[in-house]
Amino acid sequence: MPLRVALVAGPMYDRLYRVFAEHHIDVEVVVHADHPTLNREVAARLAAGERIDLLATHSKYAPSQRQWLRPLDALVATSTVAALAPRAVELCRHDGVQYCLPRLIDVRVLWARADRVPTVPDTWAELAASDVVFGFTGRESGLFGTFFELVVAHGGRLFDDNLVPCIDSPEAHAAVELLCSLARRAPHDLPEWHYDQVDAALLGGRLDAAAAWPGGWDAIAASGLALEPHLYPAGPARRVSYSGCHAWAIPTTCGDEAGALAALELLLGTGAQSVDAAGGSMCAHIGALAAVQPTSAVDARRLAITRQTIDEAMITYPSLERFPEIEDAGWQAINLALRGDIDTATAVARIQRAAEEAGPFSPA
């Protein structure tokens, strides 16, 4: 029987999936969608006991899926895990258990049109004060992630050391106000944008600047536009980029453990990881990433900035089983603020309330 797989979709992810055919692995793709849609579809199918052999997930979502995921500590060869970046592997652990293993590490880099933006803002304050048309994800996880970045960049937190929500803060109010300000001079349909729509708006000339994940490099390089990479803007407190790892997991409903493990070993190996790296992604395989050679001066700067961001500015969410509930409530509240339907105070209060209702949480 074919291996039943659930895959995250998008231009920066789809290039990898040819390895199944190249290695003669017969697969049936049961879900192929953006990550929020993938999560909803997979949750419904796994809750119903449907067979899924291999699952694309993410380090921030795996804790909410752990009831359906097989621990990988005793299943995957030690040598396979040892070849991966230790920090990425650790991000994919929850309560000391390896529920997934990393495919790639995502952090954001600022891309600006050199022909339109002679002086690129280095801080969020400079960006707000400029006339640069900056685009960002207006919905779902991308929007909540940008909010998270801005809160931390301004010196705030979403949770204290005991994982008590502390979201309703001056820093959160400043973050939502800044997002609304930037959205007012961006294209009117920004509140509808997901990740791919931001990339399309940048490459289509509707924006002067936007953040992009490493896997967006292929399309940027092919665009012929005068796009230059820069460090993501800094806040008053620090420069941060919200990050995490796309990953692979084996559900408890797996009907072919040997086949799933073989596919997982393939996807985490040098060959498959090199496919991701060739498209610009920061693959988790240390050797495959080290072998990447820049194709241009712009590409060399992109790689250097991305590596610097991973080393110095990467922030991640706490490992919470009910994180998706907070994220969903959060982006919806901020999205309403972007549209002018609610004010900043109401949006932030709704996020705080959602986090409180999802808790209490215990520190790992």
Side-chain angles (χ1 to χ4, degrees):
M1 294 179 64
L3 204 65
R4 290 172 57 84
V5 299
L7 305 175
V8 63
M12 65 185 72
Y13 309 115
D14 290 346
R15 67 171 65 86
L16 174 66
Y17 307 144
R18 68 173 188 258
V19 303
F20 291 121
E22 291 172 353
H23 289 264
H24 308 291
I25 297 176
D26 185 16
V27 298
E28 177 187 352
V29 180
V30 296
V31 184
H32 182 230
D34 63 79
H35 230 132
T37 304
L38 174 71
N39 290 341
R40 289 189 289 270
E41 285 284 323
V42 164
R45 290 168 183 259
L46 293 178
E50 182 175 330
R51 174 185 167 186
I52 297 178
D53 299 311
L54 187 67
L55 168 66
T57 186
H58 194 281
S59 56
K60 68 178 178 180
Y61 293 134
S64 68
Q65 301 168 328
R66 71 172 183 169
Q67 62 183 307
W68 301 307
L69 302 183
R70 296 193 183 190
L72 299 177
D73 303 83
L75 291 179
V76 180
T78 303
S79 58
T80 298
V81 179
L84 306 176
R87 188 175 181 186
V89 172
E90 186 58 32
L91 285 175
C92 291
R93 297 181 71 82
H94 178 68
D95 286 346
V97 179
Q98 198 79 57
Y99 286 105
C100 58
L101 283 167
R103 168 182 175 177
L104 55 87
I105 304 167
D106 264 344
V107 293
R108 299 205 274 195
V109 168
L110 179 67
W111 287 89
R113 291 279 298 264
D115 53 339
R116 294 185 185 178
V117 188
T119 302
V120 176
D122 185 56
T123 68
W124 287 109
E126 291 172 3
L127 178 60
S130 74
D131 59 0
V132 173
V133 179
F134 175 80
F136 55 92
T137 314
R139 59 195 297 263
E140 307 229 34
S141 60
L143 177 58
F144 193 70
T146 307
F147 166 74
F148 174 42
E149 287 171 334
L150 291 173
V151 170
V152 176
H154 282 78
R157 305 174 70 179
L158 300 187
F159 299 87
D160 67 16
D161 290 341
N162 295 312
L163 292 184
V164 175
C166 54
I167 298 165
D168 198 341
S169 65
E171 294 83 7
H173 285 248
V176 175
E177 288 288 350
L178 178 55
L179 289 169
C180 291
S181 175
L182 294 172
R184 280 193 288 270
R185 66 171 181 248
H188 68 90
D189 55 337
L190 181 145
E192 301 295 332
W193 291 357
H194 212 316
Y195 301 108
D196 294 344
Q197 285 71 47
V198 178
D199 294 345
L202 179 64
L203 300 181
R206 302 179 69 197
L207 300 173
D208 299 329
W213 301 111
W217 165 242
D218 248 2
I220 290 170
S223 71
L225 298 175
L227 285 162
E228 295 283 342
H230 302 269
L231 286 169
Y232 205 51
R238 56 186 294 205
R239 190 189 309 274
V240 296
S241 174
Y242 99 92
S243 317
C245 298
H246 282 270
W248 298 106
I250 297 178
T252 55
T253 60
C254 174
D256 182 0
E257 183 178 288
L261 281 171
L264 183 63
E265 298 270 358
L266 168 68
L267 292 166
L268 297 176
T270 306
Q273 291 268 297
S274 295
V275 173
D276 267 342
S281 292
M282 305 301 284
C283 67
H285 193 286
I286 298 169
L289 186 60
V292 173
Q293 295 297 314
T295 57
S296 66
V298 171
D299 191 21
R301 289 197 299 276
R302 175 193 74 86
L303 283 167
I305 289 169
T306 306
R307 288 183 169 123
Q308 180 181 345
T309 303
I310 290 173
D311 290 341
E312 301 175 1
M314 192 166 106
I315 59 171
T316 60
Y317 298 109
S319 181
L320 303 175
E321 290 184 43
R322 297 184 66 182
F323 170 76
E325 297 172 37
I326 302 169
E327 183 178 70
D328 283 347
W331 79 257
Q332 291 174 38
I334 300 166
N335 183 273
L336 288 173
L338 296 181
R339 297 174 187 272
D341 295 336
I342 61 174
D343 61 17
T344 294
T346 302
V348 174
R350 288 185 182 183
I351 305 171
Q352 173 73 25
R353 186 166 60 252
E356 291 172 350
E357 292 173 351
F361 307 106
S362 299

